[in-house]
Amino acid sequence: MFSIKAVVLAALLTLLVVDVDSSSGGGGGSSYNFDLSNASDLRKLYNSKVYEADRMKRSLDGMPFQLGPLSHSGVRVTLKDGTKWLVHKGGGFGQSSQTVVVAARHMSSDWNIKETKNFGGCKTVSDFVKAGGSDYSLIFDNCHMGAGRMWKQCD
């Protein structure tokens, strides 16, 4: 027979499996000068230096609240030209990597800044994607762990 704690833990883990894609809608970004369907522009974006970053968190899709790991994390980076990009990971997000980059203008208003840090150009967008990790695992390498590795760069 299952204890109440085991049932609650199973329910929480099930909720974490909820699709955590970045929802569209208002929010946080200026226009960008990259055509991401163009390999040259994509390369320019990935080689762009990051000058400032915001550690971001939002509730999981379909949940009205955040509670520790019952949330979604990412890092919004600001480039020299002022454009902002969200780097985050999740199951099924990308093809060759589960850590992806999206224009911050696609972020919903559910995202909240938890911390801001000056990176001063010490890392590129590509470095943030690499730090996020190519694989996703709910238990061993999730969005929170990936965002934490991104955040610790240049310490």
Side-chain angles (χ1 to χ4, degrees):
M1 180 179 255
F2 287 105
S3 71
I4 296 292
K5 285 183 181 179
V7 171
V8 169
L9 179 60
L12 292 175
L13 288 174
T14 302
L15 288 173
L16 283 174
V17 177
V18 173
D19 183 23
V20 292
D21 67 12
S22 67
S23 16
S24 60
S30 57
S31 62
Y32 61 91
N33 301 318
F34 298 102
D35 172 6
L36 299 185
S37 64
N38 177 313
S40 175
D41 280 357
L42 187 58
R43 193 174 311 104
K44 284 181 201 172
L45 171 62
Y46 272 57
N47 290 327
S48 295
K49 291 184 178 184
V50 172
Y51 286 88
E52 185 176 89
D54 300 308
R55 192 157 183 180
M56 308 292 291
K57 194 176 256 194
R58 69 163 170 81
S59 57
L60 294 172
D61 288 337
M63 290 186 63
F65 62 90
Q66 298 176 26
L67 180 63
L70 292 179
S71 58
H72 182 53
S73 293
V75 176
R76 183 177 62 187
V77 299
T78 304
L79 309 182
K80 188 174 186 175
D81 65 0
T83 59
K84 296 178 185 285
W85 300 84
L86 176 66
V87 185
H88 65 139
K89 76 182 300 176
F93 274 21
Q95 293 178 2
S96 61
S97 174
Q98 299 305 303
T99 299
V100 297
V101 180
V102 295
R105 65 185 176 90
H106 294 297
M107 295 171 70
S108 75
S109 59
D110 293 340
W111 287 94
N112 297 302
I113 297 173
K114 296 301 177 187
E115 193 175 358
T116 298
K117 183 176 179 180
N118 182 345
F119 276 83
C122 73
K123 293 292 178 179
T124 63
V125 173
S126 177
D127 293 325
F128 277 77
V129 172
K130 287 176 192 169
S134 60
D135 297 321
Y136 177 84
S137 167
L138 179 63
I139 303 296
F140 300 109
D141 197 5
N142 58 45
C143 63
H144 305 297
M145 295 168 186
R149 288 191 302 271
M150 290 180 226
W151 198 251
K152 290 179 184 172
Q153 299 180 104
C154 297
D155 277 349

